[in-house]
Amino acid sequence: MAAARFTPSSPRTVDLEIALRAAIGLAVPLLVLLAVGRMELAAYATFGAFTGLYGRGEPYRSRIVTVSAAGAGLLASMALGVAVSLTGAPLAVEAALLVVVLVAGSLLHSYLQAIPGQPLFFCFAFVVTAVIPVAPGTLPAVTATALGGAAFAWLVSLAGWGLRARFGPGHPALFRPLARRPRRTRATLRDPIVIEYAVLNAVGALAAGAIALAIGLGHSYWAVISLVACLPAANARHSPARALHRVIGTAVGVGVAALLLAADLPPLGIIGVAVVCQFLAELLIARNYAATLVVLTPLALLVTTLSSPSPLGPLIRDRLVDTLIGAAVSLALLVLLLPLRRRRILAS
């Protein structure tokens, strides 16, 4: 028997606590790197800080499991990406590791019932760190930055535990009840829809990446990120219309990023914009994922630019075309999948 379906509950009110936590978790590591003059490490700090995006609305005993598992997954994804960069691994090896990241990440997200349900941040961490050049001499700094970003975000995520225990009962308006209680079971990992979703991510990512490479785009990994971002989670409704909303959100996000990059902001300005994007993304993610992608896409591009600057014109062109490739592949997969889903529903 398939595992019971689950649907992440949306917060009843805008969760400023979560948005502030995510913003602080990103801002502090980036400001530290700016202060010491090591902004080329910004991507590793950012991916580590993504640890703080998990566990939203969960009681702290549940959140500590979610945040710890997500942080470990992000660090593992970065470790694989850095290994690819450091060793100059061939494309076939990189593709195989991408499949590992996506399948394992999909299963972990489904088991944790995480928000977002997609392994987007795991994928993002792997593909970007795989293309950022790493010399053996910089490996200690890279490792310390990634671990430091993840550890700080972990601490920020759990910092309210004592405050809630001490002041929460007397100030219910200030401390919103943590009502989201995921029911985790190993049966989830045997659910045909969960397995199907993991395979869909892997097959789609390889297809989108292959198309981008065949066209000769300079940033083909963005097609993979776009594919993962546009596919609905295993526990979400699958429909071309919903996927199209994600496509539009990602494309608009590329346009916003182009305007921001054209402004040629100084590093402090880029950090400020990235933190604001992080804050807004957390306000939107449980309500409208398409709108979330409008602010997540500039965040991704700005942080990547800090670590590995590229000429603006080719960068935006490649990102936009790659986005359309990933989006088109996701739509094609969903269209092909719908008849299978209908037959399964009728047979159940």
Side-chain angles (χ1 to χ4, degrees), residues 234-262:
N235 55 329
R237 292 181 181 179
H238 285 235
S239 72
R242 286 174 180 265
L244 184 60
H245 293 164
R246 290 169 167 81
V247 172
I248 294 171
T250 305
V252 172
V254 172
V256 173
L259 294 175
L260 292 171
L261 290 170

Side-chain angles (χ1 to χ4, degrees), residues 109-156:
H109 278 71
S110 295
Y111 173 77
L112 293 174
Q113 301 178 38
I115 298 176
Q118 299 96 326
L120 173 61
F121 299 125
F122 288 16
C123 173
F124 186 22
F126 171 74
V127 297
V128 173
T129 54
V131 299
I132 296 177
V134 178
T138 65
L139 193 56
V142 167
T143 303
T145 302
L147 288 172
F152 181 74
W154 188 92
L155 290 172
V156 172

